[in-house]
Amino acid sequence: MSSIKIFSDSTSDLPKSILEQYDIGIVPLYVTFGDQDYRDGVDLLPKRLYELVDQHGVLPKTAAPSPGDFVKAFEPHVKEGRHIIYIGLSSHLSATIQNATLASQMLEEEPGSVTVIDSLNLSTGIGQQVYRAALLAEEGRTVEEIVVHIEEMRKHIETEFIIDTLDYLYKGGRCSGLQNIVGTLLRIRPVIKVIDGKMTPANRVRGKREKALEQLLNNALALKDQMDDETIFVTHSFSEEDAAYIQAQLKEKTNAKNVFLSDAGCVISSHCGTNTIGIVFAKSSTT
């Protein structure tokens, strides 16, 4: 058993195969409809999430794990003397990092310890960093080496999504009813990038979905000479066919060792909606 245990939260959207292969721990965020709380990926999966949105006509609320949730997840490992490296959802988007930090302080007297890293990202923008940390831990790198590497890497993550419908942005209060109607009539699809840990509208694509997909792909390929060759993630919410097409194009036109498909979890899906699709990769750094 490694002396280092890698943890993340449910918004990292990593495939189950990666979580199992590298024994990555996941602390779920909460999704709440009315007075019913669900743990993202544990009590509630995206298919049921969308059914509940249709049933209630409103989006759920989402919430960070409590410090107690983190203590419960971390404590067995730190009691064994292991060092936890937790990489979580951007502090600009959630209290998750704050609560993980409080938990780490509550466990300071245990034999092991906890290092918290703010990913300054979401979805597989977190997952990129978690996966790299797991690879480095498997190589036998020290905690200090892993932390330095990830804190450098996070500066170079490119996270870009195409949102297929404005309905979820409207339900979430991120656009007006008029914008929703006009945008739907004109088939406008927002392009969202993560910049400095925040979701930022980068562009809007007007027209058929195929046009938006090609722009998403071309935006990534324009940076292929700067790409780190380790891993690209294609992350989506119920857009399997389009995701497979994007994956095939990236495999053909880049030098990436791995191009993984990833399903967006409930928290990410509740903000973006069905048919959202994104490409996430790291640009090369000197570390």
Side-chain angles (χ1 to χ4, degrees):
M1 182 175 64
S2 171
S3 62
I4 298 173
K5 170 80 172 178
I6 306 299
F7 262 91
S8 188
D9 59 64
S10 60
T11 64
S12 59
D13 292 340
L14 282 169
K16 185 177 180 181
S17 58
I18 291 177
L19 298 178
E20 292 178 348
Q21 181 175 354
Y22 296 98
D23 190 31
I24 297 167
I26 294 294
V27 183
L29 274 75
Y30 290 95
V31 178
T32 302
F33 283 93
D35 59 359
Q36 182 65 54
D37 293 331
Y38 302 90
R39 290 170 296 170
D40 181 12
V42 179
D43 309 314
L44 186 68
L45 299 176
K47 184 177 184 295
R48 180 56 179 158
L49 167 82
Y50 289 129
E51 291 172 352
L52 289 171
V53 171
D54 290 341
Q55 178 183 328
H56 292 279
V58 295
L59 293 183
K61 295 179 181 178
T62 58
S66 69
D69 291 331
F70 282 108
V71 169
K72 184 178 179 180
F74 295 163
E75 191 169 32
H77 303 285
V78 297
K79 279 184 176 294
E80 294 175 347
R82 301 179 76 186
H83 192 113
I84 289 172
I85 298 176
Y86 169 79
I87 306 170
L89 179 61
S90 172
S91 59
H92 294 290
L93 301 173
S94 170
T96 301
I97 289 293
Q98 177 184 344
N99 290 349
T101 301
L102 289 172
S104 72
Q105 295 166 355
M106 294 164 69
L107 293 168
E108 284 180 347
E109 294 185 5
E110 298 295 342
S113 55
V114 180
T115 296
V116 176
I117 300 176
D118 184 350
S119 74
L120 295 176
N121 223 300
L122 54 78
S123 189
T124 43
I126 309 167
Q128 278 278 4
Q129 298 170 58
V130 175
Y131 180 56
R132 182 65 60 83
L135 292 177
L136 293 171
E138 187 176 63
E139 290 176 8
R141 299 290 191 94
T142 67
V143 169
E144 292 75 17
E145 287 173 330
I146 295 172
V147 170
V148 168
H149 187 104
I150 298 304
E151 288 183 343
E152 175 64 22
M153 180 188 186
R154 70 181 175 183
K155 304 173 188 175
H156 304 282
I157 302 289
E158 292 286 322
T159 303
E160 183 168 301
F161 287 85
I162 296 287
I163 294 179
D164 192 63
T165 173
L166 294 175
D167 286 347
Y168 276 61
L169 295 179
Y170 169 61
K171 287 187 175 80
R174 293 175 176 83
C175 74
S176 69
L178 180 60
Q179 286 173 320
N180 186 30
I181 293 170
V182 172
T184 300
L185 289 173
L186 296 179
R187 297 182 179 180
I188 291 174
R189 293 173 173 83
V191 180
I192 304 295
K193 287 181 69 71
V194 177
I195 299 174
D196 296 329
K198 302 174 184 177
M199 293 176 62
T200 304
N203 198 357
R204 294 183 299 173
V205 182
R206 179 177 172 181
K208 293 182 178 180
R209 177 171 170 81
E210 291 77 11
K211 180 181 177 182
L213 291 173
E214 288 303 318
Q215 176 164 324
L216 178 70
L217 178 61
N218 290 336
N219 287 351
L221 291 176
L223 297 171
K224 68 178 182 178
D225 292 338
Q226 301 176 46
M227 282 183 184
D228 180 297
D229 290 340
E230 180 65 47
T231 305
I232 301 173
F233 284 98
V234 180
T235 303
H236 67 96
S237 185
F238 290 91
S239 187
E240 290 86 358
E241 186 175 332
D242 291 336
Y245 166 75
I246 294 289
Q247 179 191 39
Q249 291 294 304
L250 291 169
K251 283 183 175 180
E252 177 185 341
K253 297 176 180 179
T254 72
N255 295 317
K257 186 187 304 182
N258 301 294
V259 183
F260 293 117
L261 291 181
S262 166
D263 297 312
C266 291
V267 169
I268 300 299
S269 294
S270 71
H271 292 291
C272 298
T274 56
N275 286 318
T276 294
I277 187 167
I279 300 174
V280 182
F281 59 90
K283 292 188 291 186
S284 297
S285 68
T286 57
T287 303

